[in-house]
Each structure stands twice: as structure tokens, then as C-alpha cells.
Amino acid sequence: MTDGSEHSCDDVEAGAEAGGVSTATPAVDPQDIVRDALILNVSNRCNLRCIFCFEHGQRVQQMPSLEEVRGILHQPWDAPPSILMFMGAETFLRKDVEELVRLAKGRGIPHVGIATNGTLLRSRAQLEPLLRAGLDHLEVSIHTLDPLHAAMLSGRNLTSSRQRRGLALLAELSGDHELAVTINTVVCALNLGDVPHLLRSIHGDYPPLSPMVHLKYPHSVADIHGRVSLATLSDLRAAELISSLPAVWRPRVVVEQVPLCVLAPHYAMSCELIGVVTDSSVQYDMTLPRRERV
């Protein structure tokens, strides 16, 4: 995947020679990508105002109803999708999240997940009903645990303390339940120096959580609507950051949206083909006006 930056992958071979890796094997085999994922964007409101969020200015006033979600899930299928992710601005602002999970499981979907920023994860009493309903996966967006930087990135104070509360809760639950957790971190100029501490904290302070961490790099200033000056891809030093990580963490870290030639010897950690996942998923953005829905 190209990103419109100054970097080109025409010279991957040269970079590979420098790093001592072969260029014959792609970072992600397209045959291994799940092609029957269903993504339902079911929330149009968020309690944060992250500076790089693409949702800004694209929301309508009314949340999609439970019946609208039911209508999507009860469309005739030859076979149910393997994965369903409930996403949106902040899914936990809905009061019927447990019922959403039950609807999905009732349609025979094996793997059901929810995306969240983690600030509304409060207690076992809140999450255990979701687990009993069949929740398999939580995808949590945490970009830094530095309180000042978290407030600057999210536009809200207390973001870091509430996300730490959520991580502690998930670590506690993971000892009793099978719940997959993924941490999504958008890497920009502001939080670049925080990423090693974030990974150290996630993997050291919250056992036995051990989540997969996806480091996501915005491609250009246009991706964040000009609200913040984004460093160039080379300034964000993806390969340097990976090299600084302890080797034991590397199997749990994936880098997305960075050309292989930039990652050089660390190309095996890249999801450069992540766009294929999106293109092959069936997406229904239920927060858009009806005429604009996919």
C-alpha cells in the first residue's frame, strides 16, 4: 500500500540487503486475510475529541436504533460472517450494547467484538453481562498513557486515568474469561516518544492481559483534517522505534500503514496490506443518512 509520502518501495531490495532479510516473502499473505468480516458502525457520538479522528464533522444527530441493527443482522446470508465488529465513534455510549452482542451471537457469528476508547470501561458488573452474552473481543484505542499528552490528543482531561482504569479491569477479567484484547495506537509527532512507555506499561503493569498492539501511522496531514501539524513518515522513525523494543514484545506488536521499505529488516511485523482487510469486509455505516449507507 502506498501512502503518498516521499518514500517509495522501489528500492526495497536495497533496504533488505542492509537489514539482511529476503524480499521474496510478503509481510501479509493475502490468502491468510479473513474475507468475511462484518463491520457495523453503530455509534455517532463520542466522549473524546481526538485530533486525528476521521469521524469529526461526519456524524448525524440520531443513533441507529436496535431495530435497524437487527434488520442488518437478519438479512439472508449463505453463511454468517466469521467476525463482526461493532464500531463507531464510541460504542459504549449506547445503552443496548449487551443486546447488540446477543443479536450477533443469535445469528451464529462465531467472533463478536466491540471497539472503544476505553474510558467508559468501569466495572465487572458492566462487562460480565457482555461476556455472558458472547463478547469475544475488545479493541481499545489508547494513544498514550502520559496524562498531559493524552489530554492534548483526546481533547479531554482524565483520559489517561480512565483508560488505566479500563486496562486494570480488562486484566482482572482476563484471568477469569477468554477475552481477546487489541490495543490500537495512532503514532504521531506528539506521542512518538511515549510509545515505548505505553508498551512497557501494557505488557508489564497489567498481567495477564498481554494484548496485541497495533501501531498505526497516519499517512498525511489530510488524514487529520489539518487540525494538527503531523510529522513526515520519516520523522516518525517507525523502524527505529521497533528496534528499541525488547525482543519479547515484538511478536505482540504490529505496524500498520507503513511501507515495507521504511520498516526495512522489521518488515515481517508490518500489515502493509491492511487495506485489503477493509476492502474485503462488508461495512455498514449506520451513522450516515440512509441514502449514503453502503
Side-chain angles (χ1 to χ4, degrees), residues 278-291:
T278 299
D279 293 342
S280 62
S281 300
V282 180
Q283 299 189 51
Y284 295 93
D285 190 338
M286 301 189 71
T287 68
L288 293 177
R290 189 178 305 276
R291 66 179 180 278

Side-chain angles (χ1 to χ4, degrees), residues 37-269:
L38 175 63
I39 299 172
L40 281 178
N41 289 332
V42 294
S43 173
N44 57 8
R45 295 188 293 118
C46 189
N47 58 330
L48 302 183
R49 295 292 182 268
C50 295
I51 56 179
F52 37 63
C53 181
F54 63 85
E55 294 279 354
H56 281 299
Q58 298 186 31
R59 307 183 193 115
V60 294
Q61 295 301 310
Q62 187 175 356
M63 286 266 210
S65 69
L66 184 63
E67 288 307 312
E68 287 182 288
V69 178
R70 191 191 307 274
I72 291 292
L73 292 180
H74 280 78
Q75 293 187 70
W77 294 330
D78 293 334
S82 297
I83 297 172
L84 168 62
M85 286 297 297
F86 290 111
M87 306 182 78
E90 174 48 50
T91 311
F92 277 92
L93 285 174
R94 294 187 66 111
K95 305 300 184 184
D96 56 2
V97 178
E98 179 184 346
E99 185 60 27
L100 293 179
V101 175
R102 291 189 184 281
L103 282 175
K105 283 297 185 176
R107 287 290 284 141
I109 299 174
H111 188 97
V112 177
I114 296 174
T116 175
N117 60 42
T119 62
L120 300 181
L121 304 180
R122 298 188 177 96
S123 67
R124 293 182 70 108
Q126 173 198 28
L127 291 184
E128 285 186 326
L130 296 177
L131 294 169
R132 290 194 294 269
L135 181 66
D136 302 291
H137 181 201
L138 272 179
E139 188 172 291
V140 188
S141 295
I142 301 178
H143 311 300
T144 178
L145 289 176
D146 178 273
L148 177 60
H149 288 174
M152 295 172 67
L153 286 171
S154 69
R156 294 289 186 269
N157 294 324
L158 302 179
T159 296
S160 178
S161 62
R162 290 172 178 171
Q163 289 180 326
R164 284 183 179 276
R165 177 189 63 190
L167 286 171
L169 174 61
L170 293 177
E172 179 184 341
L173 286 170
S174 66
D176 302 325
H177 302 274
E178 291 187 9
L179 176 66
V181 177
T182 300
I183 305 296
N184 287 331
T185 300
V186 175
V187 181
C188 63
L190 181 60
N191 68 341
L192 174 64
D194 301 339
V195 173
H197 174 264
L198 172 65
L199 294 172
R200 188 179 304 112
S201 183
I202 287 173
H203 290 290
D205 297 345
Y206 303 99
L209 193 55
S210 188
M212 181 69 73
V213 179
H214 287 192
L215 302 180
K216 300 186 176 185
Y217 286 72
H219 291 198
S220 67
V221 173
D223 284 348
I224 50 176
H225 307 291
R227 281 187 295 275
V228 65
S229 178
L230 180 69
T232 65
L233 195 58
S234 57
D235 291 337
L236 294 181
R237 306 190 301 278
E240 180 182 331
L241 173 61
I242 296 171
S243 297
S244 71
L245 301 179
V248 68
W249 293 350
R250 295 180 188 176
R252 307 294 297 169
V253 176
V254 175
V255 179
E256 298 181 6
Q257 303 167 187
V258 175
L260 301 186
C261 52
V262 175
L263 288 179
H266 308 293
Y267 80 110
M269 296 171 63

Side-chain angles (χ1 to χ4, degrees), residues 264-277:
H266 308 293
Y267 80 110
M269 296 171 63
S270 171
C271 276
E272 190 186 32
L273 298 179
I274 194 68
V276 178
V277 177

